[in-house]
Amino acid sequence: QKEVEQNSGPLSVPEGAIASLNCTYSDRGSQSFFWYRQYSGKSPELIMFIYSNGDKEDGRFTAQLNKASQYVSLLIRDSQPSDSATYLCAVKRRGSTLGRLYFGRGTQLTVWP
Amino acid sequence: GAGVSQSPSNKVTEKGKDVELRCDPISGHTALYWYRQRLGQGLEFLIYFQGNSAPDKSGLPSDRFSAERTGESVSTLTIQRTQQEDSAVYLCASRRGTGDEKLFFGSGTQLSVL
């Protein structure tokens, strides 16, 4: 079982819809959870991080964490074509140094006008 | 600089040759990381530098891989006797310091081993 699993997609949603991206992780003691956005040919860019169970909202983005289910998700409301990118889920495991993250393969999102 | 700078952006080499990749972190960032992104795979941690402490090399896949960093400045990742499976995008990231978990990534070096 991989450390971090994501549905590779592609996920395709119409403009204005809610895009839901999901991620599961294997280490129950994982502490920090990150969502990075990566446009084609570009570097990953951090868009959200979450540490505690529940929801965390930032603009059109909401991260949701359920540690009991070892599940983290990212919701993008009012999706825009500019949101089309690959979204990477990353996890910091218990005991690992800051910045040493375990990444999923990414979910490719396409928002069509 | 304004962001993490990596060079070259693309490198094509022949199997068996050595390559050197360079990373210039954001000024003032004490922590520096190298990650590898193979096609269709997640990012894999390679090595981590924090100030003048001994680096965490636990992610290096073989002894053909090595990296150096002098103080809090430029880092180089060297791959000796390259193999085709080394083909990947090599990403460098830096982080400000203690307690701040945000990584800033460079645009990467696309390495192709023929």
Side-chain angles (χ1 to χ4, degrees):
Chain A
Q1 182 184 7
K2 288 190 176 297
E3 294 277 352
V4 180
E5 301 250 25
Q6 291 182 256
N7 184 340
S8 62
L11 175 65
S12 182
V13 301
E15 184 174 358
I18 296 175
S20 178
L21 304 159
N22 305 313
C23 173
T24 58
Y25 58 94
S26 61
D27 180 10
R28 183 171 291 278
S30 295
Q31 298 171 315
S32 309
F33 307 86
F34 305 84
W35 284 100
Y36 283 81
R37 178 177 61 198
Q38 188 174 27
Y39 292 113
S40 181
K42 303 295 185 182
S43 58
E45 173 192 15
L46 180 66
I47 53 172
M48 290 286 292
F49 60 89
I50 186 167
Y51 303 135
S52 304
N53 275 329
D55 294 0
K56 180 181 178 182
E57 188 174 316
D58 184 0
R60 295 186 296 111
F61 299 95
T62 299
Q64 299 175 318
L65 175 62
N66 184 327
K67 289 188 176 181
S69 300
Q70 296 174 236
Y71 176 92
V72 58
S73 64
L74 179 70
L75 300 178
I76 307 174
R77 290 182 301 281
D78 188 24
S79 296
Q80 302 297 309
S82 59
D83 295 327
S84 298
T86 297
Y87 289 80
L88 308 175
C89 174
V91 171
K92 177 189 175 300
R93 291 185 62 179
R94 172 183 42 192
S96 63
T97 55
L98 289 179
R100 177 169 182 170
L101 304 179
Y102 293 81
F103 283 81
R105 293 185 179 187
T107 298
Q108 185 179 342
L109 172 66
T110 300
V111 181
W112 45 275
Chain B
V4 178
S5 177
Q6 291 188 245
S7 62
S9 56
N10 282 283
K11 177 70 177 179
V12 180
T13 190
E14 294 178 349
K15 179 181 172 181
K17 300 282 190 181
D18 297 352
V19 295
E20 189 173 279
L21 313 180
R22 176 188 169 105
C23 172
D24 197 349
I26 294 172
S27 177
H29 281 199
T30 59
L32 184 148
Y33 306 77
W34 284 97
Y35 279 84
R36 176 171 72 175
Q37 188 174 29
R38 291 175 169 173
L39 189 65
Q41 303 295 317
L43 275 71
E44 302 169 76
F45 167 81
L46 297 177
I47 189 168
Y48 158 59
F49 296 90
Q50 171 67 59
N52 293 316
S53 301
D56 175 0
K57 304 180 181 180
S58 58
L60 294 178
S62 79
D63 59 8
R64 297 186 295 105
F65 288 72
S66 63
E68 292 183 349
R69 186 187 188 197
T70 304
E72 296 181 358
S73 61
V74 171
S75 175
T76 55
L77 176 69
T78 301
I79 309 173
Q80 295 179 308
R81 305 181 302 283
T82 53
Q83 303 295 311
Q84 288 184 331
E85 62 263 27
D86 299 335
S87 296
V89 176
Y90 289 82
L91 288 161
C92 178
S94 68
R95 178 173 62 82
R96 184 163 19 196
T98 305
D100 185 344
E101 294 202 68
K102 186 172 182 178
L103 293 180
F104 293 82
F105 282 90
S107 54
T109 294
Q110 172 73 64
L111 175 66
S112 300
V113 182
L114 304 179

